[in-house]
Amino acid sequence: MSEHSVAVVRLASASSAERQEILVGVQNLLLARGVIVPNDRRDALWQPSEWKPGPGARLAVVEPVDWFDAFLDTANNGVDICGDRDVYHAVENDEAPRCPHCAASTPTAYTDSYDDWLEEWSIDGHEPVFACDRCGWSGLVGDWTGQFGVLIGAPAVTFYNWPPLSPAMITDIRAALGGRTGIVASHW
C-alpha cells in the first residue's frame, strides 16, 4: 500500500519565537474549524501524528470522496504541524519545477548540482537562485512552479493520506503561515 502527503511550507525565514506564534495560529485555525482534533489513539504505526481529522475535515477537502467516512478511521491519516525547519521532498513524485513565466524546465544547473545546493540550503539556509534558460527569468527555487520537488522551511503543515484539500483551505493555511510559502505533494 502506498502513502501520500501534502505539506504547506513557510519558506520565509522567521525567528524561533515567530515560528512558535505561527504554529499556534495555524493550529488554532484548524481546531476552530474542526478540521483537526487531538489524536486520542496515537500510535507509532497506526496513528503517529499528534492530530487526526475532525468533524470539519469534510469541509476542508475539494469534494468528500465516497469513502470519506472510512477515511476518518483509516491508519496514518493524521496532520503534523511542525515548527522546526525541515526538508520536504516529493519522494517518488520528484519532478523539477518549471519557470513561472514561460513554463520551461529548470536549467541543467538545478539537476547537475542538486546535492550541492540542497545541502547548502539545508545546512546554511541559503535558498538557491536559478535563471531560466529560455526566457532569462531568475528566482529563488521556492518561487519556481511545481509541487513535486523539494522545499525547506518552517513552520509547515502536513496532511497524510487525505483526499485533495480545497483551494480555499490551502489559501487559508498559507495566509496563516504568512510570508512566502510553497506546497510539496509526496508519494512513497
Side-chain angles (χ1 to χ4, degrees):
M1 180 169 192
S2 61
E3 306 280 333
H4 68 271
S5 67
V6 172
V8 185
V9 184
R10 179 186 166 104
L11 301 172
S13 63
S15 70
S16 179
E18 291 170 323
R19 287 193 313 267
Q20 183 60 33
E21 185 178 321
I22 294 165
L23 185 140
V24 169
V26 170
Q27 182 177 299
N28 288 343
L29 167 75
L30 297 174
L31 282 168
R33 293 185 182 179
V35 174
I36 60 171
V37 294
N39 185 356
D40 55 355
R41 321 182 292 185
R42 198 162 183 194
D43 176 273
L45 295 176
W46 176 255
Q47 287 288 354
S49 296
E50 182 178 356
W51 305 101
K52 67 180 185 179
R58 187 178 305 271
L59 302 174
V61 298
V62 171
E63 179 178 308
V65 290
D66 57 357
W67 48 268
F68 194 82
D69 290 336
F71 157 75
L72 295 174
D73 293 318
T74 301
N76 195 20
N77 62 355
V79 177
D80 289 339
I81 305 171
C82 181
D84 296 328
R85 192 168 169 274
D86 206 348
V87 177
Y88 297 87
H89 191 280
V91 191
E92 291 176 15
N93 278 353
D94 190 29
E95 179 181 295
R98 303 189 78 70
C99 175
H101 290 267
C102 72
S105 297
T106 52
T108 55
Y110 177 94
T111 51
D112 290 351
S113 63
Y114 187 87
D115 291 338
D116 295 332
W117 65 256
L118 185 58
E119 182 177 351
E120 185 176 334
W121 190 13
S122 177
I123 294 171
D124 301 332
H126 301 293
E127 185 177 358
V129 173
F130 292 100
C132 179
D133 290 338
R134 184 188 299 164
C135 73
W137 179 84
S138 179
L140 294 164
V141 72
D143 293 338
W144 284 69
T145 305
Q147 57 179 292
F148 302 117
V150 60
L151 295 175
I152 299 174
V157 182
T158 306
F159 293 81
Y160 292 97
N161 299 311
W162 279 53
L165 296 168
S166 74
M169 176 84 319
I170 295 287
T171 298
D172 291 348
I173 292 170
R174 288 180 114 160
L177 289 171
R180 289 176 56 240
T181 60
I183 296 175
V184 176
S186 302
H187 181 83
W188 62 99

